[in-house]
Amino acid sequence: MKIKYIPIFTEDIDRQVRFFTDTLGFEVYDKKYILTSRECIIMQTTSPDIFILIAKDYGYDDSRCSIVVNTDDCLNDCHLLKLAGIQFCKEPQYTATGLRAEFVDPSGNHCLLIEERNYDN
C-alpha cells in the first residue's frame, strides 16, 4: 500500500485549481470520480506517485476522507487491516474507478483504500 492521493475540499474548485496551477506550478492531470459521487480534479505534484484531489466541499460530510491509499489487492489488504484491528466503515465495493473500502484511523480520520481499475480495456 502507498499514499497516492491527498484530498483537498473546497467550495470553489476553479479558484483552488488556479492556486495549484498558477501559484504552485502544478498541472491538471485528469478528472475522475475517485471519491463517491464527487468528480475530482487530479493535480500532478512534483512527486510522480502522489496526486492532489480537488473536490467540492458540501459542508459536514461523515464520509469525507482524509487520505487515499492505493493498493494492488484491496480485498487482501482489507483482510490484513481487519486482523490488525482496523475498523471499516464501508466494506469493499466496486465503483467506476475500482474496488474501494473506507476505514477509520485511531484518531477517527476517514481513509479510503482503493484498488484502481481500468474497465475500458
Side-chain angles (χ1 to χ4, degrees), residues 39-93:
E39 183 178 60
C40 300
I41 307 296
I42 302 174
M43 304 295 301
Q44 176 74 55
T45 66
T46 54
S47 174
D49 296 332
I50 298 177
F51 298 86
I52 294 172
L53 295 179
I54 300 175
K56 181 72 174 168
D57 185 0
Y58 294 108
Y60 176 74
D61 185 350
D62 64 351
S63 66
R64 187 165 142 168
C65 295
S66 310
I67 193 167
V68 180
V69 179
N70 191 264
T71 179
D72 293 329
D73 190 339
C74 186
L75 294 175
N76 185 59
D77 286 338
C78 284
H79 173 73
L80 294 174
L81 290 170
K82 283 180 181 179
L83 290 176
I86 298 296
Q87 176 186 358
F88 280 81
C89 48
K90 291 191 179 174
E91 292 297 319
Q93 55 186 258

